[in-house]
Amino acid sequence: MILKASQRGGAKQLAQHLLRTDDNEHVHVHEVQGFLSDDMVAAFKEVQAISKGTKCKQPFFSVSLNPPGTEVVDVDVFEQAIAQIEEKNGLAGQPRAVVFHEKEGRRHAHVVWSRIDVRTMTARNLPHFKLKLRDISRALFFEQGWTMPKGLVNSEASDPRNFTLAEWQQSKRIGINARDIKQMVQECWAASDSRSAFENAISERGFTLARGDRRDFVLVSCDGEVLGLRTQTGKRTKDLRAKLGSADSLRSVDDILKAISSDMGDAFRRHMAEARAQTDEVRARLEVRRKAMMETHRAERQSLEDGLRRRDAREARERAARLRGGLSGVWQFLTGTRGRIAHQNEQEAYACFLRDREHRDRLIAEQLSERRTLQDLIDAERRTFVRTILLLRSDRTRLMNSSRTVELIEEAEEDREIQRHEPPVSRKRRARRANRPPRGKRQRGPDISPS
């Protein structure tokens, strides 16, 4: 279970983010305890108001609990993890809220604690909370028998495909997922042993290796987007230079952008629009299925909750009827029967609570399995679209490079034609002029004037 945490403020924004149903298919408020209000927005505003009496600017500690997407995780496992996080970070007894989210066939939880201790009017300090969460996460993977990610086993081996917000926005403009772009670039890097091999591999995916203005090596997509090669591969600059050599011999970004503007852009855009139209049609049908499934699942859960609520009320009335009133109640108290009945009622109420939770977990597990089947179709369509886009980009880049090659050949032939008709003296003078340092930057000899 991957644990990510941060200290933050913004009570209303945080509560609204956790309750959003447009980004999540199902949102379930599992617990709101320790606050005066049961409403999450009001409860978080309460914490923010109390924090005004302190110097704390970030009164909330927010943690997300993300189990492997292919695993069915019971609520008990989440609660055990929450208890460990609370104990390790010294948050026992602090008000907290627990919310479950479901999206794309995956279920995860968010927990928000108040850092403000109302008895001392100070904020609970959370030293090294990231290291503590890492240890808890590793223990959970071992206990549950899940396959541990490489980045959790060794922090230096973390997933190199993780991307920033700017990279994600850039990938949206390109039309390919940022994770897919990084994976593709890293595969090309691993499969090549020289600059030519890497250029050929990356060109087949629709990118061109170029010389950057601020960085040595960049990749230019056929849409004109510039990607830093160091960021995409996760390699150091000296590692890039060791395999690719100097970037001085590469074309600049401006040259490649000019070539892009002069190639068959209209045909490429038409093909891209056609591919997107076909994909949008398939995605629209899958989206209709997804929304219908979501509404069906919500109706099933609501029906289950209504049935459990009616049964709980009936069973509560039956348990309450065991405790008599009047003289019969006095007799139960004197004989000790009332205490035994009260203890029996508590045990039965807890057993009913566990039974109802098991029913909810079973229904959620069945729905998640059904939702994952649909998500597999959505992911397959997404991969098909990515392959189509990469093929189109490869064709366009190949055409762009071939047209540039023709231009270079024509320029070389023109130079040879000029040199053929030039007198020898002019050729020598032109060669010396080409090798001469720029004016104002010529190296002067040593100063030998007498002191």
Side-chain angles (χ1 to χ4, degrees):
M1 186 176 293
I2 303 298
L3 306 177
K4 297 182 180 180
S6 63
Q7 299 176 124
R8 57 169 299 168
K12 184 177 179 180
Q13 294 82 357
L14 178 58
Q16 290 178 343
H17 170 70
L18 295 178
L19 297 175
R20 290 184 63 175
T21 56
D22 52 347
D23 284 348
N24 303 283
E25 297 170 2
H26 300 282
V27 176
H28 173 63
V29 180
H30 179 69
E31 178 182 270
V32 178
Q33 70 170 19
F35 305 95
L36 295 177
S37 175
D38 293 334
D39 179 72
M40 187 177 296
V41 177
F44 286 6
K45 286 183 177 180
E46 171 191 332
V47 174
Q48 191 171 27
I50 297 174
S51 69
K52 298 296 183 181
T54 69
K55 296 182 179 180
C56 181
K57 302 297 183 182
Q58 296 176 325
F60 299 102
F61 182 56
S62 176
V63 181
S64 64
L65 298 87
N66 301 276
T70 57
E71 301 293 337
V72 178
V73 184
D74 295 335
V75 177
D76 294 339
V77 179
F78 283 102
E79 291 182 342
Q80 292 172 9
I82 292 171
Q84 294 178 27
I85 297 170
E86 198 171 68
E87 180 183 0
K88 289 272 187 163
N89 292 278
L91 295 170
Q94 288 297 106
R96 75 184 186 193
V98 182
V99 182
F100 283 97
H101 287 173
E102 292 180 35
K103 182 180 180 181
E104 296 183 352
R106 301 187 61 166
R107 190 186 194 197
H108 63 277
H110 293 271
V111 190
V112 179
W113 282 273
S114 169
R115 296 179 55 216
I116 307 301
D117 190 337
V118 295
R119 294 171 298 181
T120 60
M121 287 304 293
T122 57
R124 295 283 180 92
N125 192 23
L126 302 172
H128 311 296
F129 68 85
K130 292 185 178 180
L131 297 178
K132 296 175 182 177
L133 293 180
R134 184 196 62 186
D135 296 339
I136 296 173
S137 180
R138 288 175 176 173
L140 289 171
F141 272 95
F142 279 122
E143 292 172 2
Q144 301 300 323
W146 299 330
T147 302
M148 188 178 299
K150 294 181 179 179
L152 197 57
V153 177
N154 181 7
S155 58
E156 295 182 357
S158 59
D159 189 353
R161 295 176 300 167
N162 293 334
F163 49 90
T164 63
L165 176 61
E167 293 169 352
W168 176 73
Q169 292 173 339
Q170 190 176 49
S171 69
K172 289 184 66 178
R173 294 193 296 268
I174 296 175
I176 306 177
N177 185 275
R179 194 175 300 276
D180 294 333
I181 294 176
K182 276 197 172 184
Q183 182 177 5
M184 178 266 296
V185 175
Q186 290 160 14
E187 289 175 352
C188 293
W189 177 265
S192 58
D193 56 357
S194 62
R195 176 197 284 189
S196 60
F198 179 71
E199 283 184 316
N200 293 334
I202 209 69
S203 176
E204 292 177 355
R205 273 84 174 171
F207 293 88
T208 303
L209 184 64
R211 182 183 71 253
D213 298 331
R214 293 176 298 174
R215 293 161 289 190
D216 285 354
F217 302 99
V218 296
L219 298 176
V220 183
S221 73
C222 48
D223 285 338
E225 291 291 337
V226 181
L227 310 174
L229 184 60
R230 183 176 180 272
T231 302
Q232 297 298 319
T233 58
K235 303 295 182 181
R236 295 176 297 180
T237 303
K238 69 175 186 179
D239 296 332
L240 299 180
R241 292 173 180 171
K243 178 181 287 190
L244 304 178
S246 175
D248 296 336
S249 59
L250 292 173
R251 285 184 290 165
S252 66
V253 175
D254 292 337
D255 292 339
I256 295 178
L257 293 179
K258 290 178 182 178
I260 290 175
S261 62
S262 62
D263 73 350
M264 308 240 344
D266 294 338
F268 173 77
R269 284 188 289 270
R270 185 174 64 254
H271 296 159
M272 288 282 288
E274 183 179 354
R276 286 197 172 94
Q278 295 175 356
T279 302
D280 291 342
E281 182 180 356
V282 177
R283 288 182 178 177
R285 293 198 299 268
L286 294 174
E287 181 65 14
V288 170
R289 290 181 57 184
R290 186 192 69 83
K291 289 183 177 180
M293 182 179 293
M294 180 181 65
E295 296 298 331
T296 302
H297 289 175
R298 288 181 179 178
E300 291 175 352
R301 297 189 186 190
Q302 187 61 45
S303 177
L304 176 64
E305 290 296 330
D306 294 340
L308 295 179
R309 195 178 299 110
R310 289 192 297 268
R311 186 172 64 180
D312 289 344
R314 184 181 68 253
E315 292 173 345
R317 289 193 298 268
E318 293 175 356
R319 289 191 294 267
R322 297 172 184 171
L323 299 174
R324 305 292 178 81
L327 293 177
S328 299
V330 174
W331 179 253
Q332 283 183 339
F333 179 77
L334 293 176
T335 58
T337 307
R338 189 178 186 86
R340 291 193 299 271
I341 294 176
H343 182 66
Q344 178 185 354
N345 287 348
E346 290 177 0
Q347 290 182 329
E348 291 183 0
Y350 184 66
C352 292
F353 168 76
L354 295 179
R355 178 201 60 197
D356 294 346
R357 171 180 285 188
E358 183 181 356
H359 288 173
R360 293 189 186 95
D361 289 344
R362 189 184 306 119
L363 177 62
I364 291 174
E366 293 174 356
Q367 291 181 349
L368 286 175
S369 177
E370 185 179 359
R371 179 63 180 84
R372 288 194 191 104
T373 302
L374 178 60
Q375 187 63 34
D376 291 340
L377 298 177
I378 296 175
D379 293 339
E381 175 58 31
R382 187 178 301 163
R383 289 191 295 269
T384 302
F385 175 70
V386 169
R387 286 195 296 269
T388 303
I389 296 300
L390 290 177
L391 182 61
L392 289 174
R393 293 177 185 279
S394 174
D395 293 341
R396 186 182 186 188
T397 305
R398 191 180 299 110
L399 176 62
M400 180 183 66
N401 292 335
S402 63
S403 62
R404 177 59 179 169
T405 303
V406 172
E407 292 177 2
L408 292 175
I409 293 174
E410 292 177 352
E411 291 176 0
E413 290 178 352
E414 291 178 359
D415 290 340
R416 285 195 296 270
E417 187 67 21
I418 293 174
Q419 293 178 8
R420 189 179 301 115
H421 294 87
E422 258 186 345
V425 177
S426 299
R427 287 200 297 269
K428 292 181 181 179
R429 187 182 296 115
R430 190 157 64 97
R432 288 196 301 270
R433 191 183 301 120
N435 296 326
R436 184 182 302 168
R439 181 171 297 177
K441 296 185 180 180
R442 298 179 182 177
Q443 296 181 354
R444 301 182 179 273
D447 188 3
I448 58 175
S449 58
S451 57

